[in-house]
Structure formats: structure tokens, C-alpha cells
Amino acid sequence: MGYGILHKVIFVKYIQSNDRIILTELDSFDIASVLECGQCFRFAKLGEGFYRIIAFGKLLFIRRNAENTELFPTNSGDFESIWRSYFDLDRDYSSVKLMLAKDGEIMKNAVDFSPGIRHLSQDPFECLISFIISQNNRIPMIMKCVENICTRYGKEISEGFYAFPTAEELARADISGLSECRVGFRAKYIIDAVNKVLTGEIDLNKNTTLTTGDLRENLKKIKGVGDKVADCVMLFAYGRAEVFPADVWIIKAMSRYFFDGRDINKKELHSLAYERFGQHAGMANQYLYNYIRTLDTEKSKE
DNA sequence: ATCCAGGATCTCC
DNA sequence: GGAGATCATGGA
């Protein structure tokens, strides 16, 4: 398998300058790829390599320059307690990419297509609600729904910018309020998720101690959460790097690249992914997703 | 106008 | 336990 290699210990190099943190000598970090590869719905593009995000109640601007990437406004305290783990800055991506590329031509192409992807560690509750909204929906619409929910139910953290609401804050949401956020038939699912979190039936903090299988079944107790949404939450909020969410794009990619274009079911898709990509299946998923979705979307525009 | 989107559920058999 | 319709919404 070759997955047993211990990761190199990576020390992030950065300097603090006034209200910003400047990351130096950091490879495998392209903010455009990180945000636009489908794992996150709460960002805005302000220019080439220039984005605004809101996460963990903080507003942050990120700009990629020729020599470095800068985060502002922030400080070393927030950087150490939030952004360092949020952007997964301590992982050695070059070894991950090397292992995946060894699988073959397809994975090498997918990794080379967007080598600057990183695996965000998002807030579990925000991630859960966001991916409940994602079902049978389009990404621009998902982003609008999330934004509407924040504006309506979240705390204003600075003028015109709102944090994603906590479960307690979202408890005052009812069907009609959520419907005005344009979430459609998913409103009842959101309410069920909030209820189960507030009653403790689903403990989003305790989930760190569960096995991946138990965590998946636990999340699926929420109405509107099936395998795919649960897997996204596990991958994007709980750092379960071995899970492989099977969405329509991934099914298309796996069929085309690994099963000669024939119809496949999720069982054979997963067994191939887990066997070939092992503990990095989740990373493989992100490279593949970004690869096929970008290629096919551009092709359809022609 | 009709179809469809980072799916899940309900209803049939 | 598998196949098929249904679910809001808005853009193509």
C-alpha cells in the first residue's frame, strides 16, 4: 500500500506585519483552488487570487501575491487558534500528492490540474447545514441560501458581514423564515438538524471520538442527511480524510476514468476508491471533483 | 416551456 | 432492498 509512511513535520513559516499574517515559503496553497473546489460556500472573489471569507465568526481577506500569501486583518493569536488549522497548514501536501500521483495517469493529471488545493477544517454545524442545503441544488444557489441564513440569523461581526448562526441562534428559525432564505423543501431538514443538536441527540463535539462508520450513522439520524451529506461533513469538518463522498461529479469521474465509462454503483466506486487511495481517499476526491467539474463545465460553455 | 442541480425520502413492489 | 416519483427554487 505504501500509506504507512509517517508524515514529515511541517512548520509553517510566516511573519506578522501590522494587521496581517504573511505566509512565506508555503507550497500547495492556492487560495482560488482551496475555495472554489466545492468544499466551502462562504466566500467571495474580490479579484484574481483575492478572496474574502467568513469562518468561525471572523472576517478574513486573503490575497495571493507573486511571492507569498497574506491574510488580513488578523493577528498571531487568531492565526494560531483558527487559521492554521482551518487551512490545514501543517500537512505535508507534497507527500500526499506524490502518493496519489503514483496511482496512475489519471490521478497525476488531477493533482497537477489543481496542485494548490488544501483540505479546510470547517465548523461542523455550519458545514452540516450548508451540505443539507446542497442536496439537489446548484452551487451559486447554495451560496445565496447560506448568505441569507447568516444575514437573517447570524451575529453581525462587522458592518454588513454576518457570522454563520450557532445552533442556539438558528433555533428561532421557523419554516417560513427559512423559506424566505430560499432553502425550499430543505427547511424542515434544517429545523430537524437544529433540534437534534440542541437536545443533544446529535453531539457535534463528541463526534471526534467516534469511528468513521459510527459518525456517519450518527449524522444520518438527521432528516435530509444521507451518505453523501454525512461524508461531506466528515471530510470537510471532522478531518476524516479517508472518506470519499459520492456526488454526481465523482460518480461521473470514476465511471469515465476507472470503469471504462460504464454505469457504476456507489458500492464498487467506494471499494475502488478505498483500495487505491487509502487514507487519502478524501484528498483524491477533491482533486478529481475539481478536475472533472472544471473540465466539463468549460467544455459545455463552448 | 421544460429540464435540472455536490440527494434524500417516500412509496410502491 | 431496488426502482421511480417527488421535493422548492431559479437559471439555462
Side-chain angles (χ1 to χ4, degrees), chain A residues 167-181:
Chain A
E168 288 75 14
E169 288 165 345
L170 206 47
R172 67 185 184 88
D174 58 10
I175 294 282
S176 74
L178 287 169
S179 296
E180 287 179 32
C181 296

Side-chain angles (χ1 to χ4, degrees), chain A residues 16 71 163 165 171 194 216 224 268 275 283 289 295:
Chain A
Q16 181 175 6
L71 317 180
V194 170
R216 179 181 293 111
E268 51 188 342
E275 184 179 333
M283 286 302 309
Y289 173 87
L295 287 182

Side-chain angles (χ1 to χ4, degrees), chain A residues 13-267:
Chain A
K13 292 187 178 156
Y14 67 93
I15 54 179
Q16 181 175 6
S17 167
N18 297 321
D19 68 337
R20 55 196 64 201
I21 295 289
I22 301 171
L23 304 172
T24 58
E25 302 178 37
L26 179 62
D27 74 359
S28 305
F29 186 67
D30 171 36
I31 189 60
S33 300
V34 170
L35 294 175
E36 309 220 29
C37 74
Q39 58 181 323
C40 171
F41 299 112
R42 196 82 203 289
F43 66 88
K45 181 177 182 176
L46 307 177
E48 280 309 311
F50 184 26
Y51 289 82
R52 180 229 79 201
I53 69 170
I54 298 172
F56 293 101
K58 302 282 182 179
L59 171 67
L60 186 73
F61 296 89
I62 309 147
R63 176 157 36 208
R64 186 190 175 106
N65 304 313
E67 302 293 321
N68 56 46
T69 296
E70 53 182 344
L71 317 180
F72 62 97
T74 188
N75 52 59
S76 56
D78 280 355
F79 178 75
E80 289 296 341
S81 64
I82 300 175
W83 307 122
R84 184 172 183 143
S85 60
Y86 181 77
F87 289 114
D88 200 22
L89 297 182
D90 293 300
R91 189 185 302 273
D92 176 16
Y93 276 80
S94 53
S95 73
V96 173
K97 291 189 285 189
L98 201 61
M99 288 182 206
L100 290 176
K102 274 188 198 161
D103 180 77
E105 191 77 7
I106 295 299
M107 286 314 299
K108 182 179 186 327
N109 290 343
V111 166
D112 288 345
F113 185 76
S114 33
I117 289 181
R118 268 175 190 263
H119 181 166
L120 295 176
S121 297
Q122 303 182 60
D123 173 66
F125 183 67
E126 172 172 350
C127 192
L128 171 65
I129 301 300
S130 299
F131 278 94
I132 285 174
I133 294 169
S134 79
Q135 66 182 88
N136 200 35
N137 210 342
R138 299 170 201 247
I139 289 180
M141 191 63 194
I142 301 164
M143 295 176 78
K144 279 182 200 166
C145 292
V146 171
E147 200 61 34
N148 291 340
I149 286 175
C150 293
T151 305
R152 189 175 180 117
Y153 301 107
K155 262 195 216 77
E156 188 170 32
I157 54 182
S158 65
E159 204 179 333
F161 297 104
Y162 296 82
F164 194 91
T166 62
E168 288 75 14
E169 288 165 345
L170 206 47
R172 67 185 184 88
D174 58 10
I175 294 282
S176 74
L178 287 169
S179 296
E180 287 179 32
C181 296
R182 320 315 288 163
V183 301
F185 65 91
R186 309 165 192 87
K188 54 185 177 292
Y189 299 155
I190 295 173
I191 288 176
D192 188 58
V194 170
N195 285 340
K196 286 193 165 70
V197 169
L198 289 180
T199 61
E201 187 175 345
I202 302 288
D203 185 343
L204 293 178
N205 300 317
K206 188 194 86 177
N207 283 340
T208 53
T209 63
L210 298 177
T211 66
T212 294
D214 288 346
L215 177 50
R216 179 181 293 111
E217 294 313 308
N218 195 29
L219 291 168
K220 282 169 67 179
K221 289 178 187 166
I222 299 167
K223 284 179 198 153
V225 177
D227 285 323
K228 191 271 174 182
V229 169
D231 281 2
C232 284
V233 176
M234 291 199 294
L235 182 58
F236 301 138
Y238 288 105
R240 304 295 173 112
E242 75 278 19
V243 306
F244 194 82
D247 74 317
V248 289
W249 289 106
I250 285 296
I251 294 169
K252 187 194 268 191
M254 295 297 280
S255 165
R256 184 184 300 171
Y257 298 133
F258 295 97
F259 293 93
D260 209 25
R262 70 173 173 83
D263 283 344
I264 55 173
N265 59 42
K266 292 180 182 175
K267 200 171 181 181

